[in-house]
């Protein structure tokens, strides 16, 4: 971060007080105005619900230019990474800042494989949940409970423990997600297999059973790997900000990631891929698309086209392009080209992209629009979709958490408010209250 001589002068017209707020420049992107002295010098707070104009931290992990549809991790474009790296190489990059060389890659893959088992006691913890629980409810519980099983990596002031906790989370999330699915199906838990890649192992945990041999398909493993890469990090979104805020108080990493999972669950965030499928089912057939487009445009109707629009991208989401390609590869591999929901999705995409309402508001399909269709084709139930997003995003969350803890500017997060409640008043005796 560089502070230039430029500043913004703010004058309070009610009392004539004035302040020069310094401007900082990052490597790329808009400058930021440093308002840290605003309250002490001017007696006012800023008001920015939804943080649409607020930078909450500095970060060297991910860069997004929403107008241009650019997404970079540590300077590398997302399509370059999705094309040329596997998920664990991208995870290493996000966590450590550089792509691994051959020896580093082999060691990281081996380290992650060797942390993928869960303490056997965790399997009993699952048994406390109803079989029909929502998978995200189970994921929040199990990930939060990891702090009770791995005490030896909860000291956030010890860099070694922080790294062990980070490896454990990345390594165990496929097992946790796979077991969440198996539990919902009433099938036995499968144990991780070190001979597999990260994505092959995840497919094994999801789809293998003890009864017959299972070999993960290379096309589906590659597609899963790509989906994980595309969801690995996305800057200061709601769940990542939640992880940082939880971590800012000194909470342990497992609790922070559980908080991130809770935040991701919402339909405006990670729950959107599930909501896309629910919406496609509700639309049902191509001839009903105009009716739903009209609903989405109606200000008095809360309905929104799920999988369209993004807070930051006001251009085609670069992840959605790769996801669209992957989607076709998967459907080819599985021979389900005539899948009616895919046809419906493609027609919805075509109509929305030509409609003035969506064009003028720059509402393009986002990554969730296609990921839901891919998951469905792979045989993953809709209720599991957001759990897969959580699995992929864990590396981003934990990298951002590590970055926050080593930032000398880090403080406990404590936003202020505009109070609009009652003015001071006295408690009335019970018999006199109306
Ligand atoms: N369908 C219909 N209208 C929409 C939609 C939509 N999906 N998204 C935005 N709009 C309209 C909105 O009504 C508003 O219209 P007007 O200017 O006339 O009032 C305009 O577009 C701007 O919308 P906004 O609500 O100010 O935009 P936002 O940045 O607050 O919301 C969003 C972003 C993602 C929450 C929203 O687009 C949305 O709800 N999309 C559907 C849910 C979805 O797909 N979410 C996944 C996001 S990507 C995955 C992730 O990062 O988690």
């Amino acid at each position: 971060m560089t502070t230039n001589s430029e500043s913004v002068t703010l004058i309070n017209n009610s009392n004539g007080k004035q302040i020069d707020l310094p401007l900082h420049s990052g490597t790329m992107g808009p400058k930021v105005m440093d308002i840290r002295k605003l309250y002490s010098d001017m007696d006012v707070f800023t008001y920015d619900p939804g943080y649409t104009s607020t930078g909450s931290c500095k970060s060297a992990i991910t860069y997004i230019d929403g107008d241009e549809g650019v997404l970079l991790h540590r300077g590398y474009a997302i399509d370059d990474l999705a094309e040329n790296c596997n998920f664990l190489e991208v995870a290493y990059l996000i966590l450590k800042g550089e792509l691994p060389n051959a020896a580093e890659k082999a060691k990281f893959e081996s380290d992650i494989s060797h942390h993928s088992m869960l303490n056997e006691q965790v399997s009993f913890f699952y048994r406390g949940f109803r079989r029909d629980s929502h998978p995200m409810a189970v994921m929040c519980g199990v990930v939060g409970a990891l702090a009770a099983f791995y005490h030896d990596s909860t000291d956030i002031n010890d860099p070694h423990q922080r790294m062990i906790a980070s490896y454990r989370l990345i390594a165990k999330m496929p097992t946790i997600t796979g077991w969440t699915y198996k539990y919902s199906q009433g099938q036995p838990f499968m144990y991780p297999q070190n001979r597999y890649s990260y994505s092959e192992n995840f497919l094994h945990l999801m789809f293998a059973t003890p009864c017959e041999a299972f070999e993960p398909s290379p096309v589906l493993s590659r597609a899963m790997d790509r989906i994980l890469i595309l969801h690995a990090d996305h800057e200061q979104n709601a769940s990542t900000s939640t992880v940082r805020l939880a971590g800012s108080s000194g909470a342990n990493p497992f609790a922070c990631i559980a908080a991130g999972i809770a935040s991701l669950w919402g339909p405006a965030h990670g729950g959107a891929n599930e909501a896309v499928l629910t919406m496609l089912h509700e639309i049902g057939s191509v001839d009903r698309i105009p009716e739903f487009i009209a609903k989405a445009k109606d200000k008095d109707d809360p309905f929104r086209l799920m999988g369209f629009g993004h807070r930051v991208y006001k251009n085609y989401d670069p992840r959605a392009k790769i996801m669209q390609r992957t989607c076709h590869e998967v459907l080819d591999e599985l021979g389900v080209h005539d899948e009616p929901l895919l046809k419906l999705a493609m027609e919805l995409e075509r109509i929305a992209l030509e409609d003035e309402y969506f064009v003028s508001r720059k509402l393009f399909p986002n990554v969730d629009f296609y990921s839901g269709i891919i998951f469905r084709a792979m045989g993953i139930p809709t209720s599991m979709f957001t759990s897969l997003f959580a699995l992929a995003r864990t590396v981003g969350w934990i990298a951002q958490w590590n970055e926050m803890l080593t930032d000398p500017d880090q403080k406990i997060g404590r936003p202020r408010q505009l109070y609009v409640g009652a003015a001071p008043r006295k408690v009335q005796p019970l018999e006199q209250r109306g």
Side-chain angles (χ1 to χ4, degrees), residues 20-299:
D20 283 334
L21 298 168
L23 287 183
H24 305 305
S25 302
T27 321
M28 290 175 287
K31 291 175 182 155
V32 302
M33 187 171 80
D34 187 336
I35 60 166
R36 278 177 291 183
K37 291 219 159 90
L38 192 63
Y39 179 52
S40 59
D41 291 9
M42 297 288 275
D43 245 358
V44 291
F45 298 132
T46 54
Y47 179 62
D48 185 18
Y51 311 118
T52 52
S53 296
T54 297
S56 58
C57 61
K58 55 181 183 306
S59 178
I61 300 174
T62 293
Y63 174 77
I64 301 174
D65 182 336
D67 293 326
E68 296 301 321
V70 169
L71 169 60
L72 310 177
H73 294 313
R74 307 279 190 187
Y76 296 101
I78 189 67
D79 44 345
D80 198 2
L81 293 171
E83 217 46 68
N84 297 307
C85 300
N86 70 20
F87 174 69
L88 281 186
E89 286 173 270
V90 176
Y92 185 99
L93 172 74
I94 287 175
L95 196 59
K96 297 178 183 255
E98 294 297 336
L99 281 168
N101 61 28
E104 289 162 340
K105 177 173 184 272
K107 169 141 182 23
F108 188 60
E109 286 175 350
S110 162
D111 287 348
I112 293 295
S113 310
H114 287 91
H115 279 100
S116 59
M117 270 206 301
L118 286 166
N119 182 310
E120 193 61 17
Q121 195 62 25
V122 178
S123 69
F124 302 110
F125 185 69
Y126 272 84
R127 290 178 167 82
F129 291 103
R130 286 171 56 134
R131 295 263 177 196
D132 61 354
S133 306
H134 193 284
M136 286 296 276
V138 178
M139 301 275 293
C140 285
V142 175
V143 173
L146 292 181
F149 291 98
Y150 301 101
H151 302 149
D152 58 343
S153 55
T154 51
D155 178 357
I156 63 159
N157 298 314
D158 176 349
H160 181 67
Q161 289 201 28
R162 285 205 302 269
M163 205 37 76
I164 296 283
S166 305
Y167 278 36
R168 281 179 167 157
L169 277 156
I170 296 168
K172 295 182 197 307
M173 278 302 271
T175 317
I176 292 170
T177 314
W179 282 15
T180 300
Y181 174 61
K182 289 296 192 194
Y183 187 72
S184 74
Q185 301 298 300
Q187 288 185 9
F189 295 147
M190 298 300 289
Y191 288 90
Q193 287 294 330
N194 290 355
R195 69 175 188 280
Y196 287 144
S197 74
Y198 191 83
S199 298
E200 286 169 340
N201 178 50
F202 177 56
L203 292 178
H204 156 84
L205 288 160
M206 289 283 291
F207 298 119
T209 68
C211 314
E212 54 192 1
F214 173 85
E215 266 317 305
S217 134
V219 174
L220 298 190
S221 304
R222 181 69 193 129
M224 182 56 74
D225 211 64
R226 224 176 260 160
I227 292 172
L228 298 181
I229 292 172
L230 295 180
H231 286 88
D233 191 52
H234 212 231
E235 213 231 57
Q236 307 311 321
N237 51 76
S239 57
T240 302
S241 299
T242 303
V243 170
R244 279 185 177 258
L245 196 56
S248 76
S249 70
N252 74 72
F254 305 107
C256 295
I257 301 305
I261 294 173
S263 168
L264 187 73
W265 193 354
H269 191 11
N273 51 16
E274 180 176 342
V276 169
L277 259 278
T278 309
M279 176 191 73
L280 290 175
H281 279 296
E282 201 187 336
I283 299 176
S285 59
V286 170
D287 57 303
R288 293 190 65 205
I289 292 177
E291 182 194 324
F292 281 83
I293 296 264
K295 268 164 76 66
K297 292 183 338 191
D298 181 355
K299 286 273 154 269

Side-chain angles (χ1 to χ4, degrees), residues 52 231 234 237 264 266-273 275-276 293 295-297 299 303-314 317 319 357-358 361 363 366-369 389 393:
T52 52
H231 286 88
H234 212 231
N237 51 76
L264 187 73
H269 191 11
N273 51 16
V276 169
I293 296 264
K295 268 164 76 66
K297 292 183 338 191
K299 286 273 154 269
F303 176 79
R304 284 188 163 197
L305 272 197
M306 288 293 126
F308 280 77
H310 199 276
R311 167 59 61 80
V312 179
Y313 292 117
K314 303 302 172 194
D317 178 342
R319 301 169 302 169
Y357 174 94
F358 291 91
R361 287 169 180 74
L363 299 171
N366 57 48
V367 66
D368 293 316
F369 186 70
F389 191 161
R393 185 55 58 85

Side-chain angles (χ1 to χ4, degrees), residues 368-397:
D368 293 316
F369 186 70
Y370 298 104
S371 61
I373 297 161
I374 302 177
F375 291 153
R376 182 191 152 87
M378 285 181 171
I380 297 169
T382 314
S383 60
M384 281 297 297
F385 290 1
T386 316
S387 309
L388 269 75
F389 191 161
L391 151 61
R393 185 55 58 85
T394 295
V395 61
W397 288 331

Side-chain angles (χ1 to χ4, degrees), residues 381-415:
T382 314
S383 60
M384 281 297 297
F385 290 1
T386 316
S387 309
L388 269 75
F389 191 161
L391 151 61
R393 185 55 58 85
T394 295
V395 61
W397 288 331
I398 203 68
Q400 300 263 356
W401 173 83
N402 274 292
E403 185 181 61
M404 177 197 66
L405 289 178
T406 50
D407 182 345
D409 285 345
Q410 192 266 327
K411 283 182 185 333
I412 184 168
R414 178 48 168 103

